[in-house]
Amino acid sequence: MTNSVAVAGVGLHPFGRFDRTVTQMGVSAVRAALEDAGNPSFQSVFCATVYSGVAAGHKVLGALGLTGTPIVNVEAGCASGGAALMLATNAVRSGQCDTALVLGIEKMPRGIIRSSFFEPWREQSGLAATPAYFALRAMRLMRDSGITKEDLAQIVVKNRAEGVNNEIAMYRTATTVEAVLESRLVCEPLHLHMLCSPNEGAAAIVVQRSDLARRDAPKIASAQLRSHLPGSILGEATPLSGVADENIPAASTIAAHAAFEEAGYGPDDLDLIECQDTDAAREILAYEELGLCARGDSAQLVRNGDTARGGRWPVNLSGGLLSKGEPLGASALAQIIELSNQIDGRAGIRQIENAQIGLAHTVGRGANAAVVIITK
Amino acid sequence: MTARMVHDGLFRLDSDGDIRLLGSRCEECSHLQFPVAETCSMCGSERSTTIDLERQGTLWLSTVVTNAPPGYLGEVPYGFGVVELPSGLRIITLITEKEVVEFGTPLRLVAHDLGINDDGEMVVTYAFSPGSS
Ligand SMILES: [Zn+2]
């Protein structure tokens, strides 16, 4: 017998650049989430972060005088928040605890991020250029799926239009295809506005047994994390899943299959999606990896507006990372909070009708992918 | 000026200036890897042979980097991409062209001067360049 698991409370610290420490941001998000859940006691804490250093979650809980429970700091690249949510969900589902606190905190370095992921010779040789890997992935999508630069710009336009209405977003102005294509070319085909900004922020979620949470609290139907399969990347130092052998399913696909199977739903059942738009092409690739369309068919989804507000699957109603920016540890949790708020009918000006089943997807270095399904 | 390979064991520079990339072939599953690795990333075997990789390939993916990434010793802009060798092995590489190279373009392996390091040595890495050897 396993427990039904609910999102009992949510809290966000805005995403952007702030004159505050990562601990202070974490405190704000945790306080808000606990208050939203009615200040329950909790028995486990999972803190997602990549760049916050040793025992970062302990500092946040310490500042609140809420230490004493197990606190585990979780790193899984861009999917860190999804990883922490999976651990908390499993803990509650299995009966290990009644209530678990998940938080994600990040204060990203500025500029191109120097990562211990790359060996020194790769850095010296110019092979540690993270946006260039995104650009290669975009090039491949253009070749395999007939995506154009206008399609890429259209994703930015779509997401930034939603970001206007999200008070925690870093960029809150709408844009146009022309403006996106006029922004500086970073690595062909990606222009500056097609890339999300690494930034700062925090998010927290109280995960609780459904029978202890308020009755209409959204449910976590599945929270899955997967890593890449052997042979799908060009070696441990190249974050390009699927490039070595295209026939091996991507980590995102494996995670999505597992989540759909556990939740008992498929892509057709989804009412809304939050997916990883680290760059505009990454979002479109996710359409294929998550099974919204067959491989190579994503261009039609973009051009038909299927993934825009009012379309078949509204994607990134939060404005996505292209509007919010990406604080690694917090970004996946913010997606889940958007789904929960939509399903809960408290998404404010961004609210859509009949939001009952939502999927959140994050993927990043490792390769790691997390897929979470939230239901009414 | 003395030349220094960017990393030992990545490639061999012969006296006639020829460059050969070194890779591993797994003796259990035949999987090819670059750079040389102690374990096979397909099957985990520790039994592998170090081999000379092919010097000729075709362009699989390419872009141009306009901002110098952290630690980079060379100049921007520079070509960057994935080359596919006849054996099917794909390798991340610098590309000597400063513009996007078309899919399938024949490429040949070249030694590439990156820049001067803190010890005043010219650092040499591998790159691929359009053309046949
Ligand atoms: Zn092997």
Side-chain angles (χ1 to χ4, degrees):
Chain A
M1 186 62 197
T2 57
N3 295 317
S4 170
V5 184
V7 175
V10 299
L12 280 166
H13 180 284
F15 288 9
R17 286 290 183 186
F18 306 99
D19 196 16
R20 305 189 75 197
T21 66
V22 74
T23 303
Q24 289 172 319
M25 293 189 284
V27 164
S28 299
V30 167
R31 208 189 278 286
L34 288 173
E35 193 175 317
D36 191 36
N39 288 307
S41 62
F42 51 88
Q43 300 88 40
S44 263
V45 179
F46 298 95
C47 175
T49 188
V50 178
Y51 290 95
S52 306
V54 176
H58 298 69
K59 292 183 185 171
V60 175
L61 276 296
L64 286 161
L66 290 172
T67 48
T69 66
I71 303 170
V72 180
N73 296 286
V74 180
E75 190 277 315
C78 301
S80 297
L85 190 88
M86 175 192 75
L87 293 170
T89 302
N90 289 349
V92 175
R93 205 182 291 296
S94 67
Q96 198 183 340
C97 64
D98 293 337
T99 307
L101 174 67
V102 184
L103 66 151
I105 56 175
E106 211 70 72
K107 196 172 178 77
M108 304 282 288
R110 288 171 186 268
I112 295 186
I113 293 157
R114 193 156 196 163
S115 171
S116 58
F117 195 86
F118 292 110
E119 301 145 272
W121 73 265
R122 290 188 192 270
E123 291 197 328
Q124 291 174 13
S125 300
L127 304 182
T130 302
Y133 287 93
F134 299 165
L136 294 182
R137 187 169 58 206
M139 283 291 195
R140 181 173 162 214
L141 186 70
M142 291 171 78
R143 183 168 83 218
D144 292 351
S145 303
I147 295 294
T148 64
K149 283 179 76 161
E150 285 70 22
D151 294 328
L152 297 178
Q154 190 55 50
I155 295 297
V156 185
V157 172
K158 170 179 77 69
N159 292 358
R160 289 278 297 274
E162 299 295 340
V164 170
N165 294 318
N166 189 346
E167 61 284 354
I168 70 127
M170 185 178 191
Y171 299 106
R172 299 195 57 193
T173 51
T175 188
T176 63
V177 168
E178 294 71 28
V180 173
L181 294 177
E182 279 167 16
S183 67
R184 183 169 66 79
L185 183 62
V186 176
C187 289
E188 185 68 39
L190 298 179
H191 290 249
L192 187 61
H193 294 177
M194 295 176 184
L195 290 152
C196 81
S197 299
N199 63 358
E200 306 169 13
I205 296 177
V206 177
V207 174
Q208 194 169 41
R209 255 171 53 193
S210 295
D211 57 333
L212 300 177
R214 68 186 159 80
R215 259 181 53 169
D216 54 354
K219 311 290 182 294
I220 302 173
S222 188
Q224 300 284 344
L225 175 74
R226 291 294 185 276
S227 55
H228 72 274
L229 287 171
S232 77
I233 62 170
L234 293 180
E236 291 311 312
T238 51
L240 274 178
S241 180
V243 168
D245 183 340
E246 301 109 282
N247 296 314
I248 298 173
S252 298
T253 301
I254 308 167
H257 281 166
F260 285 134
E261 189 177 322
E262 185 183 19
Y265 296 117
D268 287 343
D269 299 312
L270 301 175
D271 299 313
L272 72 163
I273 295 167
E274 289 282 309
C275 83
Q276 180 91 16
D277 56 337
T278 322
D279 64 87
R282 178 62 259 183
E283 174 171 325
I284 300 174
L285 181 59
Y287 301 169
E288 301 187 10
E289 292 177 341
L290 297 174
L292 305 189
C293 62
R295 252 169 83 172
D297 286 351
S298 52
Q300 289 313 309
L301 296 188
V302 180
R303 292 169 201 167
N304 293 342
D306 288 333
T307 58
R309 178 175 289 271
R312 171 72 194 78
W313 293 282
V315 172
N316 287 331
L317 291 169
S318 67
L321 305 179
L322 289 167
S323 300
K324 289 180 292 188
E326 187 186 21
L328 289 185
S331 60
L333 297 180
Q335 293 181 329
I336 293 154
I337 291 171
E338 177 71 15
L339 298 181
S340 298
N341 284 341
Q342 288 279 356
I343 288 166
D344 226 0
R346 46 180 205 166
I349 195 168
R350 298 193 307 287
Q351 185 67 48
I352 59 166
E353 284 177 29
N354 292 320
Q356 308 223 12
I357 304 171
L359 179 147
H361 160 256
T362 39
V363 58
R365 198 156 280 165
N368 275 297
V371 172
V372 177
I373 296 178
I374 305 290
T375 61
K376 203 163 185 67
Chain B
M1 190 184 303
T2 48
R4 181 179 193 85
M5 290 194 285
V6 70
H7 190 64
D8 286 339
L10 279 184
F11 51 84
R12 190 177 71 236
L13 286 172
D14 291 338
S15 52
D16 57 1
D18 264 3
I19 177 171
R20 293 299 293 238
L21 291 180
L22 304 175
S24 300
R25 185 198 292 114
C26 175
E27 289 183 26
E28 308 275 348
C29 78
S30 301
H31 181 62
L32 296 174
Q33 274 174 268
F34 171 79
V36 171
E38 286 183 3
T39 54
C40 171
S41 66
M42 276 305 275
C43 76
S45 167
E46 293 184 1
R47 292 180 51 228
S48 66
T49 312
T50 299
I51 56 166
D52 285 355
L53 297 176
E54 297 137 312
R55 278 182 291 193
Q56 193 69 41
T58 56
L59 190 285
W60 200 66
L61 286 172
S62 114
T63 186
V64 178
V65 179
T66 56
N67 274 22
Y72 175 55
L73 293 175
E75 290 174 359
V76 288
Y78 64 92
F80 174 83
V82 178
V83 59
E84 184 173 71
L85 303 182
S87 56
L89 178 62
R90 292 176 187 152
I91 291 174
I92 292 280
T93 182
L94 293 185
I95 297 169
T96 56
E97 296 299 289
K98 291 177 170 53
E99 51 196 53
V100 171
V101 178
E102 206 177 318
F103 176 65
T105 301
L107 299 174
R108 66 188 175 88
L109 179 66
V110 296
H112 179 75
D113 288 348
L114 271 173
I116 313 290
N117 68 9
D118 292 342
D119 298 326
E121 301 162 318
M122 173 57 75
V123 179
V124 180
T125 192
Y126 67 94
F128 278 82
S129 188
S132 309
S133 47

